[in-house]
Amino acid sequence: MNERQKTLQLQQHAREEDEKLLDVFNCVEQLHSADLHKALSLERGEYRFNKVPRPGRNPSRVSAVQLALALPRHVLGCLLTGQPAVPPDATTEELTTAEIDSTSSFDHIAKALGLLTSLCELAFHHAALRDATLGQRDFGMQLVDAANMVLLAVTGPEAAALLAGATSQAGVQAALDRAAMVPAALRALAFAFTAGSREAAEAAAEGVLEWQSICEAVLQHPRGAMLLEAGFDAVRTVVLAVRAALVGDTDGDSVYRLAYYAGAAMELLSYLCVTPLFYQRLMLHDPSGAAPLRLVLACLTLHDAPLAAPPFARSADKASSAASSKLIAVQPPYCTEKGEGAAELLAARGFALLLMLSECEEPGFMDQVAQHPATRRLADHVTNRAAAYIGQVLLRPSTALFPAAPGESQMSINTLRAAELLSDDSNFRAGLIPLLAPTAAHLLASDEESFQSRWCAGPEAVAYHQNDEIIIASVSMAAVEGAKSFERASAAAFQTGRRKIGLGLRQGQQLAMERAVLLTKLMVNLHVYVEGRCSQELKDAFIKRLTQVLRAQPGAAVQRLQSALLNLQQLQRLLHPYGPAAPLDQQLVSEIDLALLQDLIARVAAALQQAVAPPEQQQEQQQQEQQEQQEQQQQQEQQEQQEQQQQEPQEQQEEAQSLQQLKAAATAPMDTEHTGAATADAAAKHEPSDGAMDVDL
């Protein structure tokens, strides 16, 4: 071997030794946005990335397996040490010679998670690469640890900095860097559980994530429920940052970017929430359901004062407080304009998440959160804010006068879906009746032509929903089947030119039909209260309050009642063909719903007849109604007294038996086993229990 060959061999050896020292910082900065499929090459049975740039040095060749195995620990190290520092400090210069283009260590972590996800996706196209990375149990555990630590950091130590930075343009970049980590961590977490399922691995090789299999793998993991809880709380923190940015002086582009990260993270969580296993596992971990409910509530606080859902704004009256401020319709730009629909779409996602959580019935999510002490107040807050959204949706003026804002129609349809859910729940119906009855009265009293156009699948309703580019809804199988029923029913309802219309118009017609159905179900759910034993007054609470508001203006009472009657009849004519007599795949309303709607129409017609009667006859009818109410109240009191009288002899008899047993035990020979049982039995009969007070409200 001559001198030249020796020199070349020494240079080659030095180059190989240099490449063994993997600079992960440089790889993250250079490869996080690269097309890894094109950069990957197979050399001597090993996958490598050739020509990875290095500042001031020759490009390096990086082993794909070595880089993938190093990234989870790199994420953990950066999170714990705050490296790389920006601008670089002495520690950063000791760790790497790379040029750090990231705006902070959190931005670098988000890039590292993105690169890690890209490598996992690449591994499903190359069996040897998958076996060396995702196929290794240690790598999967490290990946789960890294994602979990990022979510916990955003929820805990970094939450204050995230919220504070979002309030001003000067600090919003710090908030954006932290928020970007959340969807990146959730996506990495999804890939961590993909390799364990054959179906999920096959789907990933085709570029699709099989969420059903991923969810089952996550929830079979010992820490699966805790991982999802951390995800809920981390996304909630980002949603609250969006709210802070909307109220602060942050510019619109930054608000939209924050909302994009929150929306992407909620989308990933939604796909994990579609299986019954998710619900059961989460309820076993936390029976109160607090984590997802906190996220729902955060989404529903986005339009709290001083903001409002478009086209409304808060009254500028100084005498009114933030809690009691009135809403007035205004012309664009609306108060959430700078978010470009971000607040409206996140509110829609909050309602969609609530619907998905409520689709499982054993145990029912709303029952759990309403009855559990830890979440009872949270459930009340959600109900009150949902009622506020429902009121704004129902009383929204015509789009001809006040144009629709971006994302508003998706917020509207998801609000109505949640309204149908809550009004059909006995935990919330009694509280919703006094809140929504006046709103329903004002809506029904509107002009018949305008009501038909906006609420009976008319042209304004179709136009309102046909321009949505982002569709938000529950992604469960039940919701998908329900959407297909509306699609078939709207195809039958809008027959003229159906085959020639575009996708947007078809979508508008479908959502316009669903809008009419949801309004009808909201009305009939509030109309009849039949659960358990309750007073007649509560059963008729909705119709009484409804007619009371309609008759509140004596000079216009007859006209308002006539409009309400005609508008209810318009809804009835629209939906009657899609009741039980329709084909099974086109049925939108049940026989009970139609019967309740007919009863509501009859009650409004009776109120109208009473309003047009002479004053003497009206006075007689009012006196008769008061007399009937008094008789019903007396009958109920008599029934309660009879039940108490029947219970008293039974209780006296039980007490006498208990005393006889005690006397017998005292005179009988000592038998410790039987004496203890008799004493405990007697004490149990005389000791008052926590549920002894049974008050009928």
Side-chain angles (χ1 to χ4, degrees):
M1 181 180 296
N2 56 33
E3 293 298 326
R4 183 173 178 275
Q5 290 174 334
K6 290 180 180 179
T7 303
L8 291 174
Q9 190 171 3
L10 289 173
Q11 290 175 351
Q12 177 68 20
H13 178 72
R15 188 161 48 248
E16 290 177 353
E17 290 296 321
D18 182 46
E19 289 175 354
K20 290 180 181 179
L21 300 175
L22 179 64
D23 189 346
V24 184
F25 290 97
N26 183 67
C27 291
V28 170
E29 296 293 333
Q30 299 295 334
L31 296 177
H32 74 275
S33 60
D35 187 348
L36 300 186
H37 289 273
K38 294 181 179 179
L40 188 68
S41 63
L42 183 62
E43 296 181 3
R44 301 175 184 176
E46 185 178 7
Y47 289 99
R48 290 181 177 273
F49 297 113
N50 292 324
K51 300 181 180 180
V52 178
R54 291 187 298 179
R57 305 169 68 182
N58 293 327
S60 64
R61 295 185 303 168
V62 177
S63 168
V65 173
Q66 186 180 3
L67 177 60
L69 295 177
L71 278 172
R73 288 170 290 176
H74 180 74
V75 169
L76 288 170
C78 291
L79 193 62
L80 294 173
T81 62
Q83 293 293 331
V86 179
D89 57 11
T91 304
T92 306
E93 293 175 353
E94 290 179 2
L95 291 172
T96 180
T97 59
E99 294 180 357
I100 305 299
D101 294 329
S102 301
T103 55
S104 67
S105 61
F106 301 106
D107 184 28
H108 181 83
I109 291 171
K111 291 178 179 178
L113 289 169
L115 176 59
L116 183 56
T117 301
S118 299
L119 286 170
C120 291
E121 187 177 2
L122 186 66
F124 287 103
H125 297 274
H126 304 279
L129 184 58
R130 181 175 70 247
D131 294 339
T133 54
L134 290 170
Q136 301 296 318
R137 182 174 179 272
D138 290 344
F139 176 76
M141 294 176 62
Q142 292 174 8
L143 184 52
V144 170
D145 289 339
N148 186 37
M149 186 64 73
V150 168
L151 296 175
L152 292 175
V154 173
T155 304
E158 301 303 327
L162 173 57
L163 296 175
T167 59
S168 66
Q169 187 61 32
V172 72
Q173 188 60 51
L176 289 169
D177 293 345
R178 289 165 172 82
M181 296 192 299
V182 177
L186 289 173
R187 190 167 177 81
L189 192 64
F191 272 101
F193 292 96
T194 300
S197 169
R198 182 176 59 84
E199 294 82 2
E202 292 175 354
E206 299 177 359
V208 178
L209 288 176
E210 175 57 47
W211 290 103
Q212 181 85 11
S213 302
I214 293 172
C215 180
E216 292 177 358
V218 170
L219 294 169
Q220 289 171 3
H221 191 274
R223 292 186 294 159
M226 289 184 287
L227 292 171
L228 289 178
E229 185 176 6
F232 281 119
D233 287 334
V235 178
R236 170 181 170 269
T237 305
V238 181
V239 172
L240 293 176
V242 176
R243 156 79 183 177
L246 284 168
V247 176
D249 63 355
T250 310
D251 64 18
D253 181 62
S254 300
V255 173
Y256 189 84
R257 289 174 62 192
L258 272 174
Y260 173 80
Y261 294 137
M266 285 196 71
E267 183 80 7
L268 293 170
L269 278 179
S270 298
Y271 286 122
L272 289 173
C273 295
V274 298
T275 62
L277 178 62
F278 159 80
Y279 183 72
Q280 300 295 337
R281 186 77 170 83
L282 188 68
M283 288 294 106
L284 285 175
H285 173 68
D286 181 10
S288 68
L293 193 65
R294 286 195 296 265
L295 175 55
V296 171
L297 181 60
C299 292
L300 302 190
T301 58
L302 287 167
H303 293 95
D304 281 3
L307 304 178
F312 297 100
R314 302 284 172 179
S315 172
D317 185 6
K318 295 181 179 179
S320 62
S321 63
S324 62
S325 58
K326 295 182 180 179
L327 294 175
I328 54 174
V330 296
Q331 293 293 332
Y334 302 125
C335 54
T336 58
E337 183 81 10
K338 68 177 181 179
E340 301 179 28
E344 289 70 41
L345 291 176
L346 283 177
R349 289 191 182 278
F351 281 122
L353 178 60
L354 180 64
L355 291 168
M356 280 185 285
L357 292 168
S358 302
E359 288 176 359
C360 295
E361 298 180 353
E362 294 182 1
F365 179 74
M366 299 308 296
D367 290 336
Q368 290 289 102
V369 300
Q371 297 170 9
H372 200 283
T375 51
R376 189 176 297 128
R377 293 189 64 185
L378 271 178
D380 291 339
H381 286 308
V382 169
T383 305
N384 292 334
R385 282 179 168 80
Y389 275 98
I390 296 166
Q392 294 178 54
V393 168
L394 295 182
L395 296 183
R396 192 209 190 282
S398 171
T399 53
L401 301 175
F402 302 92
E408 181 194 335
S409 61
Q410 284 300 302
M411 179 191 70
S412 173
I413 194 67
N414 281 281
T415 299
L416 292 172
R417 289 166 181 162
E420 191 271 332
L421 167 73
L422 294 173
S423 63
D424 196 33
D425 193 314
S426 59
N427 294 300
F428 306 101
R429 183 188 288 118
L432 287 175
I433 287 175
L435 295 174
L436 296 182
T439 304
H442 292 304
L443 172 62
L444 292 174
S446 58
D447 177 71
E448 295 86 355
E449 184 177 352
S450 175
F451 184 88
Q452 190 278 334
S453 180
R454 290 184 293 142
W455 290 100
C456 297
E460 187 173 334
V462 174
Y464 183 61
H465 289 287
Q466 74 178 40
N467 295 322
D468 290 337
E469 297 180 356
I470 301 176
I471 305 299
I472 296 173
S474 170
V475 293
S476 67
M477 294 301 296
V480 172
E481 289 299 321
K484 291 180 180 178
S485 296
F486 281 110
E487 182 179 0
R488 289 186 287 263
S490 62
F494 300 91
Q495 296 179 358
T496 305
R498 178 72 182 179
R499 297 181 180 178
K500 300 178 182 179
I501 66 175
L503 180 62
L505 182 55
R506 184 179 295 111
Q507 169 189 296
Q509 293 173 349
Q510 177 182 337
L511 292 180
M513 179 66 74
E514 184 179 0
R515 178 184 174 93
V517 172
L518 292 172
L519 175 63
T520 303
K521 289 187 175 182
L522 172 62
M523 297 283 190
V524 300
N525 287 343
L526 297 176
H527 172 45
V528 177
Y529 192 99
V530 295
E531 279 78 1
R533 292 177 54 195
C534 62
S535 64
Q536 186 67 27
E537 183 180 358
L538 186 55
K539 289 182 180 180
D540 293 336
F542 177 72
I543 185 62
K544 286 183 178 180
R545 184 62 177 143
L546 182 76
T547 54
Q548 180 184 4
V549 176
L550 290 172
R551 291 183 297 198
Q553 304 174 13
V558 174
Q559 182 182 355
R560 287 165 61 85
L561 284 166
Q562 287 176 343
S563 297
L565 180 61
L566 292 174
N567 288 332
L568 286 171
Q569 290 172 344
Q570 287 191 94
L571 285 173
Q572 186 184 41
R573 285 194 298 271
L574 172 67
L575 300 181
H576 188 269
Y578 306 101
L584 188 61
D585 59 351
Q586 295 182 16
Q587 291 182 10
L588 303 180
V589 288
S590 66
E591 184 177 359
I592 296 177
D593 291 335
L594 291 177
L596 292 175
L597 179 59
Q598 178 60 41
D599 184 71
L600 180 61
I601 291 173
R603 300 291 293 272
V604 174
L608 175 61
Q609 184 178 3
Q610 181 181 352
V612 298
E616 297 81 4
Q617 187 176 352
Q618 292 183 20
Q619 187 175 1
E620 291 178 1
Q621 289 178 352
Q622 291 177 358
Q623 292 177 354
Q624 185 178 358
E625 289 179 357
Q626 292 177 358
Q627 185 177 358
E628 290 177 355
Q629 291 178 1
Q630 291 176 358
E631 291 177 355
Q632 291 172 358
Q633 187 174 1
Q634 290 176 359
Q635 290 177 0
Q636 186 174 358
E637 291 177 355
Q638 291 176 359
Q639 185 178 359
E640 291 177 354
Q641 290 176 359
Q642 290 176 359
E643 291 179 354
Q644 290 178 358
Q645 291 174 359
Q646 292 175 357
Q647 290 177 356
E648 287 177 358
Q650 184 177 359
E651 292 177 355
Q652 293 176 359
Q653 184 178 1
E654 291 179 353
E655 290 178 0
Q657 291 177 355
S658 300
L659 291 174
Q660 290 178 0
Q661 290 177 358
L662 289 173
K663 290 179 180 179
T667 57
M670 182 62 65
D671 186 338
T672 56
E673 181 180 357
H674 293 86
T675 303
T679 307
D681 183 48
K685 291 180 180 179
H686 288 280
E687 182 181 357
S689 63
D690 293 338
M693 293 291 290
D694 186 10
V695 182
D696 188 1
L697 299 179

